[in-house]
């Protein structure tokens, strides 16, 4: 991680769970991390906690589904830190919204954050890298195991799964466009299995027992397990592009 010390990483959704663990790990490795979320107070709290570490965490409030907020976040990063060298698109959510009974508004919300938010941040981050001649930049998309395989036993997650299948396609598309543009910017998809965070609690906000049951069926991953996957991809030598990292709890079928 030596070559990333002092360089700028954006982590979206740094207020909770996986994004919080990634932001913390990158700060400990000496990066200047811009952590965005709607609940910016939680990122500010983490930033305080990490004050004595090698790097720093700069909180920014941003709803990644709102283009004007995304553009103004990138403007702020440009004017204050020069630009982004690493972009980690982690912000995401699932709502319990089966294909036969879900509300259109729930589907739109998942598409706006998991797909369009990720695309807007990716476009702006790569633009920032290219206008500064940063040829070793890295885009990491926090995908999901269900971005590769649908689980018929969970209709609540079918639409969410489709948004993550879109991420899988977008990762390959982005790698193709970067290669056509003759850059060496790398793209990695990280696909976690069940990880204990606020994710299921938010998905089942009206029925908290469902989330409790999910996380107690077997030993889930911890957010730091996914942060370790990010460090693995970022630490690879420049000629090595880690395409996909799938991480599952040992007991998850
Ligand atoms: N937990 C799992 O089992 C699991 C498995 C596979 C993949 N994932 C993926 O991992 C990523 C992180 O999820 P998590 O498990 O850490 O869940 P989490 O604890 O609920 O955290 C989700 C993060 O996303 C942010 N977020 C949501 N909507 C946002 C928006 N419109 N704008 C900006 N930030 C937004 C939240 O911040 P605010 O609410 O403060 O804005 C929060 O920081 C997601 O992409 C998820 O799909 C999770």
């Amino acid at each position: 991680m030596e070559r990333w010390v002092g360089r700028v990483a954006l982590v979206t959704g740094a207020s909770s769970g996986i994004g919080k663990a990634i932001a913390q790990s990158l700060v400990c490795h000496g990066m200047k991390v811009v952590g965005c979320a709607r609940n910016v107070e939680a990122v500010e709290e983490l930033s305080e906690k990490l004050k004595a570490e090698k790097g720093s965490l700069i909180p920014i409030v941003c709803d990644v589904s709102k283009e004007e907020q995304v553009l103004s976040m990138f403007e702020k990063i440009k004017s204050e830190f020069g630009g982004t060298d690493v972009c980690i698109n982690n912000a995401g959510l699932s709502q319990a919204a089966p294909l036969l009974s879900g509300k259109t508004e729930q589907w739109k919300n998942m598409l706006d954050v998991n797909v369009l938010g990720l695309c807007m941040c990716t476009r702006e981050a790569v633009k920032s890298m290219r206008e500064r001649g940063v040829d070793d930049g890295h885009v990491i998309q926090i995908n999901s195991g269900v971005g590769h395989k649908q689980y018929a036993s969970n209709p609540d997650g079918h639409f969410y799964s489709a948004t993550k299948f879109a991420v899988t396609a977008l990762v390959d598309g982005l790698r193709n466009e970067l290669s056509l543009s003759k850059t060496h910017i790398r793209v990695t998809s990280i696909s976690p299995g069940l990880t204990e965070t606020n994710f299921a609690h938010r998905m089942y906000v009206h029925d908290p027992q469902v989330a409790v049951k999910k996380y107690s069926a077997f030993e889930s991953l911890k957010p730091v397990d996914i942060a370790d996957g990010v460090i693995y991809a970022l630490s690879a030598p420049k000629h090595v592009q880690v395409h996909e990292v799938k991480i599952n709890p040992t007991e998850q079928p």
Side-chain angles (χ1 to χ4, degrees):
M1 288 293 288
E2 258 329 285
R3 88 190 151 88
W4 294 116
V5 172
R7 296 181 70 186
V8 179
L10 168 67
V11 178
T12 69
S15 62
S16 166
I18 294 171
K20 186 175 173 180
I22 295 171
Q24 173 156 355
S25 180
L26 295 181
V27 168
C28 294
H29 280 92
M31 292 196 80
K32 220 176 267 171
V33 179
V34 176
C36 87
R38 292 163 306 173
N39 174 14
V40 77
E41 290 79 15
V43 189
E44 283 164 357
E45 219 171 88
L46 180 64
S47 170
E48 272 305 307
K49 203 182 119 194
L50 298 176
K51 272 247 144 54
E53 296 298 337
K54 202 170 167 190
S56 55
L57 175 61
I58 302 100
I60 293 194
V61 63
C62 178
D63 180 335
V64 297
S65 69
K66 308 269 188 295
E67 184 159 29
E68 67 285 1
Q69 292 190 27
V70 169
L71 296 180
S72 102
M73 171 171 71
F74 276 90
E75 269 306 312
K76 196 165 177 209
I77 297 173
K78 184 176 177 174
S79 65
E80 292 184 17
F81 311 107
T84 322
D85 302 307
V86 171
C87 174
I88 302 182
N89 284 300
N90 161 80
L93 80 157
S94 178
Q95 292 187 305
L99 302 180
L100 299 182
S101 57
K103 295 194 173 72
T104 310
E105 195 187 315
Q106 295 175 301
W107 298 337
K108 276 192 176 150
N109 189 17
M110 286 186 265
L111 266 182
D112 283 347
V113 179
N114 301 358
V115 179
L116 295 179
L118 171 142
C119 284
M120 290 188 286
C121 289
T122 300
R123 181 190 66 206
E124 296 306 312
V126 171
K127 189 172 147 206
S128 163
M129 293 169 199
R130 296 186 72 196
E131 67 193 15
R132 291 173 303 125
V134 172
D135 199 39
D136 67 343
H138 206 135
V139 178
I140 296 183
Q141 314 295 29
I142 303 301
N143 193 342
S144 169
V146 301
H148 304 272
K149 180 176 157 188
Q150 270 273 11
Y151 289 88
S153 59
N154 184 18
D156 285 347
H158 283 159
F159 194 90
Y160 166 72
S161 171
T163 67
K164 293 297 189 177
F165 264 75
V167 172
T168 300
L170 291 164
V171 163
D172 287 341
L174 176 63
R175 207 176 281 117
N176 187 33
E177 287 189 36
L178 288 169
S179 164
L180 288 172
S181 319
K182 308 263 181 262
T183 88
H184 295 94
I185 295 167
R186 292 177 290 174
V187 187
T188 300
S189 156
I190 298 196
S191 299
L194 190 69
T195 310
E196 191 162 359
T197 65
N198 284 321
F199 185 82
H201 298 285
R202 287 179 165 184
M203 183 172 177
Y204 293 106
V205 73
H206 302 299
D207 194 356
Q209 275 316 307
V210 181
V212 173
K213 237 172 132 180
K214 258 187 186 295
Y215 291 134
S216 55
F218 49 78
E219 187 175 354
S220 312
L221 298 171
K222 307 287 172 273
V224 68
D225 299 322
I226 313 308
D228 288 348
V230 168
I231 298 302
Y232 164 70
L234 279 177
S235 333
K238 282 187 195 173
H239 68 286
V240 176
Q241 178 164 218
V242 178
H243 280 216
E244 177 68 51
V245 181
K246 284 191 188 172
I247 310 172
N248 260 10
T250 304
E251 292 177 58
Q252 185 170 352

